[in-house]
Amino acid sequence: MNVKSFSTKKLINPSGQILLIALSCILTLGAIAVDYNFISIERFGLLLFPLLSCTLISALLGMVVIPILTRLKTGQIVQEDGPQAHLKKAGTPTMGGIFFVPVGIILSLLWVNFDRFSTRSPELIAVCLITLGYGFIGWIDDWQVLRRKSNKGISPPMKLTLQAAFGIFFALWLWWQESAAVTNIRLPGEISLSLGWLFLPLAIFVLTAESNATNLTDGVDGLAAGTGAIAFLGLGAILGFDCPDLAIFCTCISGSCLGFLVHNRNPAVVFMGDTGSLALGGALAAVGLSSGNLWALFIISGVFFIESLSVIAQVVYFKATKGVDGKGKRLFKMAPIHHHFELSGWSETQVVGVFYLANALLVAIAYLFH
């Protein structure tokens, strides 16, 4: 009886280590299945080998970099008005994106040389650059937080301006490079929507929205890293045939997220910071735009968008119900929505586990309907 109760409790409220092991097994088996059954036997390893190598290198590099971040006093500044359980996280090193994002980028540029069906295309180089660009915006924000010793980095208008600026450059480059291909958006049912010049504002919006959505998701140990690993591998599986170089890039970023999760799982010893979360969002958006798979990106990014929409809904509802005393009502106990679940009595690992399952389901739907 005791053994059974203990097992049930562990299943309902898993540890961060159990979630890491389960996610690693699922992603590895998923990469094997896609490589063997859906791509081709002669290209076996297109997803699996980049995934495993990036996971290993990112995890090992973290063992070197995290102590350095600790010595540099890059401790996280925690919001006092957030969940009280998060106050104990104060001082945990942040800015972890500086080591796991470059791992995915560098190894993706190397791995394309080992696949005879892939080339180091201009699109791959551009996606790598925009990923670094959004990571740089995040690094500036993280640095300002540490310098000021508060949870306020660069101002929201400044951050949005920088995101839009990088988005404009990337959108214009795509337009100039292959306007006919990228402006035709593929929708379900073999429907193709030709946007023409409207592609430019859409691309800027997608880059800005996606990067902010992943940034909002990074609020619980292992949440952004794990959902990011799932989303990138799913997008890589979808791109396996049409854009093998971008598929390798996605798989490498997935692996680097998984390697980072070794250190970021609950209880986390490092956070990715805006350096990591903005880079991940920018990378997802850039791949979706470059490959013309915005619809698949939308489905795969469902968890990120729900997080973002919960913040928007919270603000709108608060302002709509604001009385003469200046106080309004809250739609959720706290936004983003993962904090609402925490304040409703869920443990961090329960929130993370459910979000992993939801994201995996969305990836499966996107893959099956692609």
Side-chain angles (χ1 to χ4, degrees):
M1 177 67 73
N2 291 336
V3 173
K4 183 177 180 181
S5 300
F6 175 80
S7 300
T8 304
K9 181 179 179 181
K10 284 291 183 181
L11 182 63
I12 296 174
N13 188 19
S15 67
Q17 186 174 14
I18 289 176
L19 288 176
L20 172 64
I21 294 172
L23 182 61
S24 300
C25 292
I26 291 172
L27 293 183
T28 301
L29 291 174
I32 293 173
V34 173
D35 278 347
Y36 185 77
N37 294 318
F38 301 110
I39 293 182
S40 66
I41 188 62
E42 63 180 356
R43 300 184 67 184
F44 182 82
L46 177 70
L47 302 185
L48 179 63
F49 297 151
L51 176 72
L52 295 180
S53 62
C54 288
T55 299
L56 179 61
I57 294 175
S58 180
L60 292 175
L61 188 59
M63 297 172 66
V64 177
V65 176
I66 293 172
I68 297 175
L69 292 174
T70 302
R71 288 197 296 271
L72 292 175
K73 301 185 185 302
T74 61
Q76 176 74 37
I77 308 297
V78 178
Q79 288 181 267
E80 294 185 0
D81 59 345
Q84 294 302 299
H86 286 208
L87 295 178
K88 63 183 179 182
K89 301 176 187 288
T92 302
T94 186
M95 214 181 291
I98 63 171
F99 75 85
F100 82 87
V101 172
V103 166
I105 292 174
I106 294 171
L107 289 185
S108 69
L109 295 173
L110 295 175
W111 267 111
V112 293
N113 296 324
F114 293 98
D115 183 66
R116 62 190 180 92
F117 296 94
S118 304
T119 58
R120 197 178 296 173
S121 66
E123 289 78 15
L124 174 61
I125 302 298
V127 167
C128 290
L129 290 175
I130 199 68
T131 302
L132 289 173
Y134 275 83
F136 178 67
I137 297 172
W139 179 85
I140 295 174
D141 189 66
D142 287 338
W143 178 253
Q144 289 297 316
V145 167
L146 296 173
R147 189 178 67 85
R148 297 172 180 174
K149 299 187 181 302
S150 72
N151 56 10
K152 298 185 183 298
I154 57 177
S155 66
M158 176 57 71
K159 183 186 289 187
L160 194 63
T161 299
L162 290 172
Q163 290 172 300
F166 277 101
I168 290 170
F169 281 115
F170 185 75
L172 288 174
W173 180 85
L174 276 180
W175 174 274
W176 171 78
Q177 181 76 7
E178 46 182 335
S179 60
V182 298
T183 57
N184 291 320
I185 308 300
R186 295 196 295 269
L187 299 175
E190 301 298 324
I191 300 173
S192 180
L193 181 63
S194 181
L195 295 178
W197 65 269
L198 290 175
F199 170 80
L200 295 176
L202 175 64
I204 297 167
F205 170 77
V206 170
L207 282 159
T208 304
E210 185 78 37
S211 58
N212 282 322
T214 52
N215 181 232
L216 290 170
T217 306
D218 184 32
V220 177
D221 294 354
L223 183 56
T227 52
I230 296 168
F232 275 104
L233 186 64
L235 193 55
I238 290 173
L239 298 176
F241 272 120
D242 302 328
C243 308
D245 56 334
L246 292 179
I248 290 174
F249 171 83
C250 287
T251 309
C252 285
I253 297 294
S254 176
S256 64
C257 285
L258 193 57
F260 177 74
L261 193 60
V262 171
H263 309 288
N264 183 241
R265 65 171 177 82
N266 184 275
V269 296
V270 66
F271 300 134
M272 68 171 64
D274 284 19
T275 308
S277 59
L278 289 182
L280 294 182
L284 279 171
V287 171
L289 290 165
S290 300
S291 62
N293 280 281
L294 286 182
W295 182 250
L297 174 68
F298 176 73
I299 298 175
I300 287 173
S301 302
V303 168
F304 306 134
F305 289 142
I306 289 173
E307 292 272 43
S308 188
L309 288 174
S310 69
V311 174
I312 296 172
Q314 182 86 317
V315 173
V316 171
Y317 188 74
F318 183 84
K319 291 183 177 180
T321 58
K322 185 182 294 185
V324 293
D325 58 354
K327 296 181 180 180
K329 297 180 180 179
R330 299 182 185 275
L331 191 60
F332 304 106
K333 294 180 179 179
M334 189 176 182
I337 198 168
H338 58 256
H339 289 322
H340 171 81
F341 290 123
E342 281 188 275
L343 296 178
S344 297
W346 291 30
S347 69
E348 284 194 37
T349 53
Q350 286 176 321
V351 174
V352 171
V354 169
F355 277 47
Y356 283 1
L357 289 174
N359 206 24
L361 178 61
L362 290 171
V363 165
I365 293 172
Y367 186 85
L368 292 174
F369 283 89
H370 175 65

